[in-house]
Amino acid sequence: MILQPITQNQFGGYKMLTTTSPSDIVLEDRPRIETIYSPGKNYYGASNNEPSVYYLSSNEIKITDDLISIHNTEQPIFQEYFHVKVIENLYNSIKNEQKRFQEEQVELPNQLVIDRTCDILSTLSNQNIYPTLITPTIEEGMCLAFIKAQFRLYFELYNSGEVGYIIEDAVLKKIVKNEDLESIEEMTSIIEKFFQ
Amino acid sequence: MRFPKQLYQNERKTYGEESIHSLNYMYARHKPHSEWKVGEEYPDFTKIKSDQSFNWSAFSLPVWARFNNQKVYLAEYGVLGYSVYTMRNAHLFDEKVPAIVFGITHKTDPNNYSHCELYEVNNCSKADKRAWRMTLKHRCHRPLLPFQKVTFPIIVFGFPIMWFHRSLINKYIKVVTSPLLLFYHPNFFRLFKKH
């Protein structure tokens, strides 16, 4: 499956072509799904707990063995599916860590952090960007991780209200950048720059 | 696995920070799946705590780090070893890490004589802690992966290593072995590279 860039498209993403070989995936640095339609399956095939095409900010795209073709449908419907999914992931990750964090006497993300994370995810969702990982951090807050090739960007939103990020080169095992941010609004521009 | 008697405190003394040699290791357990995904090389950075508890290599085998405070053996956990040299000199490995972020203190527990904790040396910002945690992730070694079974050789060879680490508490042995720390310095081998 080859992703070809669309330059004039209002969504600015890539278009997926049909293929008989799901393993022939050539992923660009920032793959995006415009829309998907899986023949013979429910439009929301991914919600049936079967491997289907979905998008994350890393190269994690799983494809069914069926032929998949693309056609334009209404963007908000498709986008909303992933937006709901990513918010679900947020709450599930907190629920999954609850017991262990209590044992370790670590605070779970507070309401401020959860609200801020939801806002960020909504903003990113409008640009079709979703984190690879959403998880409570052991430093008491929430972490969003994004992957691009060997680089990994971790955003940490702390219960104290502070926000910061760190970028690592996972191959060279070095820190590329590490900063605390003044405001939450800077996050989206940093994430966009990370994918450029 | 049975809880080892060697981990009981038994009224043994607590050592000062100066007794913790930079050649020692600190072992920490990490939970599979949520902390350390199966198949991944290292645990998730978000689960490496800056004030983590450790087992000191002078009084613990890596596998003993799988015992919790209630003496329950958590066989599925992975164990990482963090070099004390790296903890004290993380800034040498990455210029983004500030110098002297954390110290290590031997804080014994009735069921874990090897228990150590970190403490903040200076007022650290969140950025400092992130950099330090990431350097630890990059520089750790992995004596036990999640779900890895402990075999007889792991236990048998672990004891001489532990006794060697314990011998480093002795101040004379400490002085004699200190030059070995040169090998840990990130720039040491560059001296021998041809220009």
Side-chain angles (χ1 to χ4, degrees), chain A residues 100 135 139 168 173 179, chain B residues 35 42 47 50 127 130 138:
Chain A
R100 198 174 69 79
T135 182
E139 295 285 326
E168 68 158 338
K173 292 188 184 156
E179 277 179 6
Chain B
E35 283 187 25
Y42 300 101
K47 303 297 187 290
S50 51
R130 276 197 306 275
H138 290 160

Side-chain angles (χ1 to χ4, degrees), chain A:
Chain A
M1 176 109 7
I2 296 172
L3 297 173
Q4 288 186 344
I6 300 170
T7 52
Q8 296 296 321
N9 186 288
Q10 67 179 104
F11 308 124
Y14 298 96
K15 197 173 192 178
M16 292 168 66
L17 305 179
T18 56
T19 181
T20 54
S21 177
S23 61
D24 287 339
I25 299 169
V26 175
L27 296 171
E28 302 290 340
D29 279 345
R30 188 186 177 191
R32 291 185 186 182
I33 297 173
E34 189 179 354
T35 56
I36 57 165
Y37 175 68
S38 186
K41 287 185 184 289
N42 187 312
Y43 178 80
Y44 293 111
S47 69
N48 293 338
N49 292 324
E50 293 173 53
S52 182
V53 180
Y54 60 93
Y55 164 76
L56 292 173
S57 66
S58 71
N59 293 339
E60 285 181 32
I61 289 188
K62 294 176 189 172
I63 294 187
T64 62
D65 288 332
D66 294 342
L67 292 177
I68 296 171
S69 61
I70 301 295
H71 66 90
N72 282 325
T73 59
E74 286 159 32
Q75 177 74 2
I77 297 172
F78 176 80
Q79 207 171 54
E80 186 166 333
Y81 169 75
F82 284 105
H83 181 223
V84 164
K85 198 102 179 107
V86 85
I87 299 291
E88 268 176 25
N89 287 349
L90 163 68
Y91 285 102
N92 285 341
S93 69
I94 296 172
K95 192 176 146 190
N96 292 340
E97 296 289 357
Q98 196 166 6
K99 188 182 172 191
R100 198 174 69 79
F101 273 39
Q102 272 167 2
E103 283 168 3
E104 303 263 347
Q105 295 176 331
V106 173
E107 275 181 31
L108 285 168
N110 60 21
Q111 197 55 49
L112 169 70
V113 164
I114 293 171
D115 291 342
R116 280 179 160 184
T117 309
C118 287
D119 289 342
I120 292 287
L121 291 173
S122 297
T123 309
L124 295 176
S125 170
N126 289 336
Q127 299 174 57
N128 229 2
I129 301 175
Y130 304 94
T132 306
L133 176 72
I134 307 170
T135 182
T137 172
I138 204 85
E139 295 285 326
E140 298 177 352
M142 219 49 214
C143 179
L144 306 178
F146 303 84
I147 297 178
K148 176 190 165 187
Q150 76 265 34
F151 298 103
R152 293 171 192 214
L153 163 65
Y154 297 91
F155 261 107
E156 289 196 327
L157 296 87
Y158 302 103
N159 285 354
S160 57
E162 294 162 280
V163 181
Y165 72 97
I166 185 165
I167 302 176
E168 68 158 338
D169 183 327
V171 168
L172 295 179
K173 292 188 184 156
K174 284 203 84 68
I175 297 169
V176 175
K177 209 164 184 188
N178 177 30
E179 277 179 6
D180 283 331
L181 298 177
E182 296 290 325
S183 69
I184 204 97
E185 284 73 31
E186 295 173 68
M187 267 181 78
T188 41
S189 61
I190 288 166
I191 294 166
E192 282 165 11
K193 276 186 199 159
F194 176 70
F195 283 109
Q196 278 170 1

Side-chain angles (χ1 to χ4, degrees), chain B residues 24-36:
Chain B
N24 288 151
Y25 276 81
M26 292 287 155
Y27 303 125
R29 63 175 176 270
H30 292 275
K31 192 176 181 184
H33 304 304
S34 59
E35 283 187 25
W36 194 343

